[in-house]
Amino acid sequence: MKRRIVIVAFIMAININLGIAQEKLLSLIPYPQKVTLVDNDFNITKSVKILIDKSDKEMLRLAEVLNRSLAQNLKITSKARVSKVIEIAIDKSLAKSSEAYQLIVNRKNVKITAANYAGVFYGIQTLHQLVEGDLIKGVMIEDEPRFKYRGLHIDVCRHFFPVEFIKKFIDVMAFYKYNNLHWHLTEDQGWRIEIKKYPKLTEIGSKRAQTKIGHYGDKLHEFDGVPVEGFYTQEQIKEIVAYAKGKYINVIPEIEMPGHATAALTSYPHLGCKGEDYKVAENWGVFHTIYCAGKESTFKFLEDVIDEVVELFPSKYIHIGGDEAFKDHWKECLLCKKRMEEEGLKDFHELQSYFIQRMEKYINSKGKQIIGWDEILEGGLAPNATVMSWRGMKGGIAAANMDHDVIMTPGSPCYFDNYQGPKSDEPLAIGGMNTLEKVYEFNPFPKELPTEKHHFILGAQANLWSEYIKTEDHMEYMAYPRACALSEVLWSSEKKSSFEEFKNRMKKHYEFLDAMNVNYFDKEK
Ligand code: ACM
Ligand code: ZN
């Protein structure tokens, strides 16, 4: 009895001592909500077994995930009475958030429990980070995410990235407890998803002849003469979606409308207001090409595309873009003007809103919800839309105040295509400056938003636009370590550690990234 009191007092002392202001935390990212050190490490030997309910197929799969992440091949058993075990189990009584877990490591056992499989998966990620050789640090962890949407976006249109790379990108996301991959699949510079009903989208729209050299703002107007092409077959898409699901990552496809449609219109010119003269874009920036909002054939086409998309993606959300749609072609189009008259629309913003709302209705009829960039607020927000706030936080604030869900991805600091170090030292980027520290200090809850509206902020996301990112190495270099910092913003307590302390923990994570063969920016190396 006496001994127990001493042990409890000891644990409490360490726990208090471990307040987040403490000098040195364990090298965990994102840092768990509650960590208590136990002076009692677990030694992984050959006799250790993984204890699970073997009749549970998903748990069996997770036991294999655990073995891989520990770089072990431990026997898997259902027999509770073996001596040293790493146990993973579902415990419905633990239900806090659906992604919560508990992890206990002591000399005899390791135990991960969660109300759901996702929690078990996150417990395994944390365990992976606690391993030093054959030792696992003694701890008691209670953890759950601060935000339910933790996303990264990847643009595979400006430059194409193959299936194997997308899988690797997903691996690293999972390690940092991200749960949404926003896959930007259609653009002016390339259409990258096979649509069986419209084969020209990939026969024509997935290819561009060349790319402008240098920054798009440069006066020099030279092209490299190097063709860029690539798309994902539907089989490959299914493969990636299933792969991500195995890591508890939802994949959200983005099919852009009504703007950013040059590749689609090059493939099927009758869908534009002009009906001709389109070419898959070879330069960056915002183009005037736009789907005609007056033609029924536009909606038929987009509905057909959505029909195939919803079959491929189990995601509750379909992203419909909605950003940067110049209305010049609409202004010159008799059919678009006729549509406005018939629908009583007073300006071209309302015509865009008509367009988005009509597509929302269709997508809702398929049991899905739309996400759109914050321009979808203009001319009237579609009734069930989630808004992705990219032009700062104001679109997100407006949407949350209208009781709409919001995902925060403000250019500063969530655009990871921006510079992260002095321009003179860095590869060409679009502009801006989003340093690691700026990302770490980001708070997805804007000061201006009343607390009672905070629950509309589902979370945040960083975006990796690929105009200037041509290679896999460069993509990773722009993503990491900034995505480590954002993972902590999204998962850890709002009262997280200091940036200095985060940088300390990052040292170990450069080793993890090395082990995963992931490239990264590291100013201090
Ligand atoms: C965007 O960056 N155009 C959403
Ligand atoms: Zn038109």
Side-chain angles (χ1 to χ4, degrees), residues 168 172 476-477 480 510 512-520:
K168 185 182 174 200
V172 193
E476 291 174 348
Y477 178 87
Y480 290 94
Y510 293 122
F512 283 125
L513 292 170
D514 285 336
M516 290 186 277
N517 193 27
V518 173
N519 192 28
Y520 50 84

Side-chain angles (χ1 to χ4, degrees), residues 442-454:
F442 175 52
N443 185 356
F445 292 133
K447 280 195 291 299
E448 304 89 322
L449 187 68
T451 318
E452 69 268 21
K453 301 285 185 186
H454 278 194

Side-chain angles (χ1 to χ4, degrees), residues 239-462:
E239 185 185 329
I240 284 175
V241 167
Y243 186 82
K245 181 166 179 260
K247 306 210 162 202
Y248 294 91
I249 291 176
N250 174 54
V251 184
I252 301 173
E254 182 179 357
I255 307 295
E256 274 265 20
M257 60 190 81
H260 288 284
T262 313
L265 297 184
T266 310
S267 312
Y268 294 99
H270 70 279
L271 300 172
C273 295
K274 303 257 175 209
E276 57 185 9
D277 276 348
Y278 300 109
K279 179 164 92 164
V280 179
E282 297 170 358
N283 197 357
W284 316 126
V286 182
F287 297 84
H288 295 259
T289 42
I290 189 161
Y291 289 109
C292 179
K295 292 175 182 167
E296 279 307 292
S297 52
T298 296
F299 293 98
K300 175 76 174 89
F301 165 81
L302 287 170
E303 288 170 10
D304 288 343
V305 168
I306 293 298
D307 285 349
E308 295 192 29
V309 167
V310 296
E311 289 301 316
L312 296 170
F313 293 90
S315 170
K316 161 181 158 190
Y317 296 114
I318 305 291
H319 200 304
I320 49 71
D323 59 317
E324 298 180 319
F326 281 161
K327 315 292 192 299
D328 312 30
H329 289 193
W330 284 359
K331 288 176 191 167
E332 293 160 13
C333 174
L334 291 177
L335 291 174
C336 282
K337 284 193 253 193
K338 182 157 167 274
R339 173 83 70 194
M340 288 172 70
E341 247 175 64
E342 282 169 5
E343 298 291 333
L345 307 171
K346 70 172 186 312
D347 61 26
F348 290 93
H349 289 308
E350 289 196 359
L351 183 56
Q352 163 143 347
S353 172
Y354 164 84
F355 196 115
I356 299 295
Q357 293 203 35
R358 188 165 161 179
M359 289 310 300
E360 179 185 62
K361 253 197 209 117
Y362 190 75
I363 290 168
N364 286 169
S365 79
K366 301 276 162 184
K368 308 278 189 184
Q369 305 275 312
I370 67 163
I371 302 178
W373 300 109
D374 59 52
E375 285 91 334
I376 67 167
L377 282 152
E378 294 160 7
L381 185 53
N384 306 309
T386 295
V387 171
M388 226 174 226
S389 190
W390 72 282
R391 295 176 301 175
M393 311 262 266
K394 61 182 188 310
I397 295 168
N401 277 324
M402 292 159 70
D403 294 355
H404 279 250
D405 286 341
V406 170
I407 295 159
M408 286 295 186
T409 181
S412 167
C414 290
Y415 271 44
F416 286 6
D417 57 343
N418 285 206
Y419 286 98
Q420 52 193 326
K423 214 168 159 174
S424 52
D425 300 344
E426 291 302 305
L428 179 68
I430 194 159
M433 176 66 76
N434 287 329
T435 61
L436 184 62
E437 180 167 13
K438 207 161 135 186
V439 176
Y440 192 73
E441 299 304 344
F442 175 52
N443 185 356
F445 292 133
K447 280 195 291 299
E448 304 89 322
L449 187 68
T451 318
E452 69 268 21
K453 301 285 185 186
H454 278 194
H455 67 280
F456 290 111
I457 311 294
L458 303 181
Q461 170 177 295

Side-chain angles (χ1 to χ4, degrees), residues 90-120:
I90 294 293
D91 177 352
K92 287 287 175 198
S93 73
L94 294 176
K96 281 159 92 188
S97 91
S98 61
E99 296 173 304
Y101 68 93
Q102 276 189 4
L103 166 61
I104 296 173
V105 180
N106 59 39
R107 190 163 43 82
K108 282 180 78 175
N109 293 313
V110 174
K111 186 166 183 179
I112 295 170
T113 41
N116 295 292
Y117 297 119
V120 174

